[in-house]
DNA sequence: AAATCGGGGAA
DNA sequence: TTCCCAGATTT
């Protein structure tokens, strides 16, 4: 990996020239607004450009300034992020906007110490903001950059290792042309996104192919070296879709998730864990599952009678795969069922499953909602799919 | 160093 | 199916 200085100068010059004509017209590139740059970079973490664009447009329209974001209800921010995933990004972004209001008078800071201190801003995003918004010579090393550099300089270090990113940052810093940090960093990522793609890179139209060590070795297809991630572990969940009765007629019972952990503070249909099945989740008897769900609902103060299986759903997170069996329930206000429900609630208390924490520190929040109410509350995609299907076929 | 934290598009 | 995407935070 002893690349010559000429090779580096060639790389930077050719890449910058290519970028001038090849760069995409993206919403956050139309202004040099540090707030726009910041929001876009948070959204782009682990997320493709095409996915981000509509979210970015809506977000800026709704929260045009740092102050607007800082003062907005958290529920609105989460709703604007709904479907984009990694929801702590949204909550950290708003917390950081409040930091910027308090510490920096609403101006996105332009030095490494203060930018890196913002919640949700790590090494990559710090470098991206400083270079793109303020043209400072800081590296912005993401997955694209590591792929491009590992190929061009034939670096065979595992990019999953911590030390490799530091090595890449040092190299990327050397490559930044004087006074062109913003364009160069974006050019590096643009090349990774458009030409130097993970599979079947377009070497023949690459602006730096002539001196690409990886390609000259015929090694572009096995670079970058990356250790495999663990597959998500399966989990089985029993989900309750409870139709309201009386005052709650036409509404569905939902709850809000805890303040931390998976899908923090998002709304969802209540569900409880089911034993892991050695085979398939399907084809199991509905009776015991519905009984357990009814008991758990009783523990949350909802008297409901099972109406049968509604659908099955799957959802994959980064580290968990949910296999969900959804059951329909009918809320029961009738006095005749009070005794039976009270008994099942008692049985539930003795059990371990939880719909709501009956004795926890902070009580779980519940609501009965209509289809229209979904427009105000943020749900994970899997529950949006279930609820939309239910409301559309009802 | 390893786990946690979403969702979807491309092959 | 598998990969991986303009990663950060927590353990």
């Amino acid at each position: 990996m002893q690349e010559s200085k000429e090779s580096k100068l060639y790389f930077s010059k050719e890449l910058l020239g290519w970028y001038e004509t090849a760069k995409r017209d993206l919403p956050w590139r139309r202004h040099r607004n540090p707030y726009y740059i910041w929001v876009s970079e948070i959204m782009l973490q682990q997320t493709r450009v095409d996915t981000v664009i509509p979210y970015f447009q809506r977000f800026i329209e709704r929260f045009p300034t740092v102050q607007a974001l800082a003062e907005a209800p958290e529920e609105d921010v989460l709703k604007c992020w709904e479907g984009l995933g990694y929801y702590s990004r949204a909550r950290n972004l708003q917390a950081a906007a409040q930091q910027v209001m308090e510490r920096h008078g609403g101006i996105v800071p332009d030095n490494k110490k203060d930018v890196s201190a913002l919640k949700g801003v790590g090494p990559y995003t710090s470098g991206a903001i400083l270079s793109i918004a303020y043209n400072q010579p800081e590296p912005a090393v993401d997955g694209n950059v590591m792929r491009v550099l590992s190929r061009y300089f034939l670096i065979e270090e595992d990019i999953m290792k911590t030390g490799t990113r530091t090595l890449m940052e040092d190299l990327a810093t050397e490559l930044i042309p004087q006074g062109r940090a913003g364009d160069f960093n974006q050019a590096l990522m643009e090349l990774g996104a458009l030409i130097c793609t993970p599979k079947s890179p377009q070497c023949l139209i690459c602006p730096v192919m002539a001196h690409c060590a990886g390609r000259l070795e015929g090694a572009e297809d096995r670079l970058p070296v990356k250790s495999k991630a663990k597959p998500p572990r399966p989990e089985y969940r029993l989900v309750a879709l409870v139709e309201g009765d009386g005052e709650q007629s036409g509404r569905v019972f939902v709850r809000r998730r805890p303040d931390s952990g998976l899908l923090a503070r998002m709304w969802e249909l209540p569900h409880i864990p089911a034993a892991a099945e050695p085979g398939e989740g399907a084809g199991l008897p509905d009776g015991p599952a519905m009984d357990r769900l009814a008991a758990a609902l009783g523990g949350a103060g909802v008297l409901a009678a099972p109406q049968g299986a509604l659908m099955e759903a799957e959802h994959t997170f980064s580290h968990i795969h949910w296999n969900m069996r959804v059951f329909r329930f009918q809320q029961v206000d009738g006095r005749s069922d009070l005794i039976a429900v009270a008994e099942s609630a008692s049985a539930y208390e003795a059990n371990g499953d939880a719909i709501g924490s009956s004795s926890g520190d902070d009580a779980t929040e519940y609501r009965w909602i209509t289809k229209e109410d979904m427009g105000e509350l943020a749900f994970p995609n899997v529950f949006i799919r279930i609820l939309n299907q239910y409301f559309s076929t009802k």
Side-chain angles (χ1 to χ4, degrees), chain A residues 15-166:
Chain A
L15 186 56
L16 214 43
W18 168 81
Y19 180 66
E20 292 302 326
T21 62
K23 70 175 176 184
R24 289 169 290 181
D25 176 23
L26 302 175
W28 46 91
R29 282 182 180 164
R30 294 194 160 196
H31 315 81
R32 174 152 344 160
N33 183 327
Y35 172 63
Y36 291 3
I37 307 293
W38 176 23
V39 170
S40 72
E41 291 301 341
I42 299 297
M43 286 187 170
L44 286 162
Q45 290 169 5
Q46 300 293 285
T47 311
R48 288 183 160 72
V49 165
D50 291 339
T51 302
V52 165
I53 288 174
Y55 280 91
F56 176 83
Q57 305 273 33
R58 269 184 277 121
F59 196 93
I60 293 300
E61 190 175 335
R62 189 166 182 83
F63 313 110
T65 62
V66 174
Q67 181 175 1
L69 177 58
E71 295 174 349
E74 186 197 65
E75 188 79 53
D76 292 3
V77 179
L78 272 182
K79 184 64 187 176
C80 217
W81 211 273
E82 182 185 75
L84 198 52
Y86 287 132
Y87 299 98
S88 65
R89 290 185 297 175
R91 297 190 292 117
N92 284 336
L93 179 58
Q94 185 180 30
Q98 292 161 357
Q99 280 181 260
V100 171
M101 290 307 296
E102 294 165 8
R103 302 180 195 175
H104 310 293
I107 307 298
V108 180
D110 63 354
N111 65 83
K112 193 179 209 170
K113 178 174 73 69
D114 290 333
V115 172
S116 301
L118 298 176
K119 280 197 174 184
V121 176
Y124 163 75
T125 308
S126 166
I129 293 172
L130 290 170
S131 63
I132 300 173
Y134 298 114
N135 203 28
Q136 293 187 16
E138 294 289 336
V141 175
D142 67 344
N144 283 314
V145 172
M146 288 202 281
R147 184 172 58 255
V148 170
L149 295 182
S150 71
R151 284 174 176 164
Y152 185 83
F153 294 107
L154 194 50
I155 299 168
E156 308 197 59
E157 310 289 325
D158 185 347
I159 64 170
M160 293 293 276
K161 291 182 180 278
T162 309
T164 305
R165 204 202 69 234
T166 307

Side-chain angles (χ1 to χ4, degrees), chain A residues 70 96 151 186-187 193 236 260 263 354 362 375:
Chain A
R151 284 174 176 164
Q186 292 183 85
Y236 298 83
S260 62
L263 301 169
D362 36 18

Side-chain angles (χ1 to χ4, degrees), chain A residues 207-227:
Chain A
V208 295
M209 67 173 282
H211 292 103
C212 177
R215 178 186 158 275
L216 293 172
E217 276 301 306
E220 69 272 17
D221 284 329
R222 59 175 180 82
L223 292 173
V225 174
K226 183 175 184 174
S227 52

Side-chain angles (χ1 to χ4, degrees), chain A residues 10 18 31 62-63 70 104 152 159 169 172 197 215 221 243 278 291 293-294 316 346 355 358 366 368 381 391 394:
Chain A
Y10 164 86
W18 168 81
H31 315 81
R62 189 166 182 83
F63 313 110
H104 310 293
Y152 185 83
I159 64 170
E169 284 175 347
T197 48
R215 178 186 158 275
D221 284 329
E243 300 177 325
D291 288 347
L293 265 176
T316 305
S346 303
I355 287 287
S358 52
Y366 301 105
W368 291 91
N381 272 4
F391 280 123
K394 191 164 65 74

